[in-house]
Amino acid sequence: MGASASAEPELLDALVRAEAAWGDPQRRAIHALQRALEELGPSRRELAPVVGAVLRDLRRLLAHAEQLAGDVAATAAAFRAADRLLDHLGAAASIAGPATAPITGTAASPIASAVPAPIVGSAARPNERGTVLPVPDVSIEWRWPEGWTHSTRWGDARLGGDGEVGAGVRSAAGAGVDVTRDAIRSGAFEELRIGAWAAAAVGSAIGPFAARASGEVFVGARGGAEALVHVGRDGARARLGGDAFAGVRADGEVRGSVGPVQAGAEGAVSYGVGVTGQADIDLTPHRIGGRVKLGVALGLGLDVGFEYYLEPAWLADGLVDLAGGAVEVGTTVAAVGSDVLSGAASTVGEALGAGGSVLRTVGGWLG
Amino acid sequence: VADAAALTTLLAALARASAVLDRCTESRRARAADVRTRWQGGRRRRFDAAWSDLEAITRRVHADLRAARARVAARLDGR
């Protein structure tokens, strides 16, 4: 018991605080990855299993880390209780010396109680499951050039682009449900397209700045509908949309993100008959905002759409870094102060010891 | 068709996840090295078991991330 009480719960607190501080960046990274996967086009089917494995393991890692932090926090509380008991029994004097109560005896407001309690007992339960119904795709298409992409790198910066012309018939549909310990997602889509098209897109990423633009000219008929609902511990997201069109149409979009703000605009000019309506809503701690697109064509037609998202986490990251820096500086100052005090105490103790020795010697002479 | 743009975004997201994981793992290992010596008996055994699981998953996520980044980069480069 003495060994337990001499352990420093502050070290345990540091681990708990670190896990709590890293939880959010990890959740945001998972969220960003999830969204990037959802936005993939033709490569989605090929890359979904690979990126899905990353997502599953990242979530599992987070759950394990939360469980470990919970155990550590509980142990810190147990150490403090043992310290208080020893202090009451007076045993602390034999461990910490006669001067004052041990450092941990100042645990009237233990740090552990100020640390957000991690989810204890919610260990990584391998109960994640998902069902994706077989997708009855029908595709008779001619594309050129097939899967052509081009990308350039300058250090960390990347520029990627692709383009194609094509013609044919395509029908794709899918539906599924995905249940994890964090969320339930359910969605379905249907797309039918007959016609010819020419499309191009370009995207770039330089550090935190990203932008992309794309355009398409389409001649023919197409229709589609999609619905996706995500409800979880991280908030809610919904995507609903549908369109039907026959005629000639030119689409374009541009999207960019700077710091916590992501904004974009899209539009289409068409000649034919059709109607379009799409809406996305994100209400999560990581992303707040939405996207709306509306259009109608009866003869000459026009579609317009806007999106605006705010990522509060970007702002929080700065604050967390600032606070983390302050805590580290405070810890260093405290450690230096503690060293100085213990050095001074030791010097005083040695001086007293020397004085005692002199007195004993003098007493010996007198005796 | 905006696949290259989306792939670029995905690659950036994977790089970000990788960087966060690296920093988090480094921070966790540094603190856990201090903590491990403080555990006794059953608590120590539980901590070691949990730590071993955590390290195994961390290694797997690193491998997953490397594979995914290579695959996406290859797709982006048209290979």
Side-chain angles (χ1 to χ4, degrees), chain A:
Chain A
M1 188 172 211
S4 292
S6 67
E8 296 161 34
E10 285 79 5
L11 287 174
L12 307 185
D13 293 336
L15 180 59
V16 176
R17 271 199 304 271
E19 290 301 339
W22 280 108
D24 273 348
Q26 286 182 89
R27 272 186 280 274
R28 284 198 292 277
I30 290 170
H31 181 76
L33 209 50
Q34 178 80 51
R35 286 205 66 88
L37 180 62
E38 285 171 5
E39 288 181 3
L40 276 186
S43 302
R44 187 167 172 177
R45 196 166 298 177
E46 178 195 332
L47 295 174
V50 184
V51 180
V54 173
L55 283 167
R56 268 195 306 279
D57 282 344
L58 278 173
R59 289 191 188 115
R60 201 162 291 158
L61 182 67
L62 195 57
H64 266 73
E66 281 177 348
Q67 188 198 18
L68 185 76
D71 239 10
V72 172
T75 301
F79 282 166
R80 286 199 164 91
D83 274 339
R84 281 196 294 274
L85 183 61
L86 284 176
D87 197 25
H88 284 305
L89 293 174
S94 64
I95 298 170
T100 56
I103 297 171
T104 49
T106 59
S109 58
I111 301 171
S113 65
V115 174
I119 302 154
V120 183
S122 64
R125 291 185 294 263
N127 61 350
E128 301 186 359
R129 57 188 180 276
T131 304
V132 177
L133 299 180
V135 181
D137 283 3
V138 176
S139 182
I140 306 170
E141 292 179 328
W142 169 82
R143 293 164 177 263
W144 185 87
E146 189 79 35
W148 179 82
T149 63
H150 180 71
S151 72
T152 311
R153 269 178 289 196
W154 298 279
D156 288 342
R158 260 189 178 272
L159 177 70
D162 55 4
E164 68 171 31
V165 293
V169 180
R170 181 181 176 200
S171 170
V177 61
D178 187 21
V179 182
T180 71
R181 64 188 289 271
D182 291 319
I184 297 174
R185 296 193 308 133
S186 178
F189 75 94
E190 163 63 37
E191 183 191 356
L192 175 67
R193 180 168 71 170
I194 304 170
W197 61 89
V202 63
S204 73
I206 305 171
F209 308 106
R212 78 192 253 197
S214 66
E216 182 181 23
V217 178
F218 175 78
V219 184
R222 69 184 185 191
E226 66 172 334
L228 171 69
V229 178
H230 168 115
V231 180
R233 299 198 315 187
D234 61 341
R237 298 205 315 269
R239 175 184 294 181
L240 294 170
D243 76 307
F245 175 77
V248 183
R249 175 168 164 151
D251 283 283
E253 69 167 38
V254 60
R255 208 182 272 177
S257 62
V258 179
V261 176
Q262 179 188 314
E266 55 191 312
V269 182
S270 58
Y271 190 81
V273 180
V275 61
T276 299
Q278 288 180 345
D280 294 4
I281 297 173
D282 268 41
L283 291 174
T284 71
H286 315 294
R287 200 162 131 112
I288 298 170
R291 166 179 168 265
V292 175
K293 183 180 179 186
L294 293 170
V296 64
L298 191 59
L300 191 63
L302 187 67
D303 292 11
V304 288
F306 298 99
E307 66 175 44
Y308 182 86
Y309 293 98
L310 183 67
E311 293 189 26
W314 273 88
L315 303 173
D317 269 352
L319 291 176
V320 166
D321 286 348
L322 198 63
V327 166
E328 291 209 359
V329 168
T331 306
T332 306
V333 169
V336 169
S338 169
D339 285 350
V340 168
L341 284 176
S342 68
S346 156
T347 305
V348 170
E350 282 171 11
L352 288 175
S357 174
V358 169
L359 285 175
R360 272 196 301 278
T361 305
V362 171
W365 291 344
L366 292 175

Side-chain angles (χ1 to χ4, degrees), chain A residues 3-4 6-8 11-12 14-15 18-19 22 25-26 28-29 32-33 36-37 39-44 46-47 50-51 53-54 57-58 60-61 64-65 67-68 71-72 74-75 78-79 143 147 149-151 153 158-164 197 199-205 212 214 311 314 317 321 328, chain B residues 1-40 43 46-69 71-79:
Chain A
S4 292
S6 67
E8 296 161 34
L11 287 174
L12 307 185
L15 180 59
E19 290 301 339
W22 280 108
Q26 286 182 89
R28 284 198 292 277
L33 209 50
L37 180 62
E39 288 181 3
L40 276 186
S43 302
R44 187 167 172 177
E46 178 195 332
L47 295 174
V50 184
V51 180
V54 173
D57 282 344
L58 278 173
R60 201 162 291 158
L61 182 67
H64 266 73
Q67 188 198 18
L68 185 76
D71 239 10
V72 172
T75 301
F79 282 166
R143 293 164 177 263
T149 63
H150 180 71
S151 72
R153 269 178 289 196
R158 260 189 178 272
L159 177 70
D162 55 4
E164 68 171 31
W197 61 89
V202 63
S204 73
R212 78 192 253 197
S214 66
E311 293 189 26
W314 273 88
D317 269 352
D321 286 348
E328 291 209 359
Chain B
V1 157
D3 209 26
L7 283 169
T8 305
T9 307
L10 177 61
L11 200 58
L14 285 167
R16 183 180 170 191
S18 198
V20 167
L21 184 64
D22 281 346
R23 289 164 60 196
C24 172
T25 305
E26 188 184 332
S27 160
R28 176 183 296 135
R29 282 181 181 153
R31 284 170 173 79
D34 287 338
V35 168
R36 277 190 81 248
T37 57
R38 313 285 163 171
W39 297 71
Q40 306 288 325
R43 284 186 191 281
R46 275 206 305 278
F47 181 84
D48 282 347
W51 183 253
S52 167
D53 285 352
L54 203 59
E55 285 283 279
I57 297 172
T58 303
R59 281 194 296 274
R60 200 163 66 215
V61 177
H62 275 298
D64 287 349
L65 277 166
R66 273 196 303 275
R69 289 174 73 174
R71 188 84 169 265
V72 175
R75 185 79 176 82
L76 198 53
D77 294 340
R79 280 182 273 130

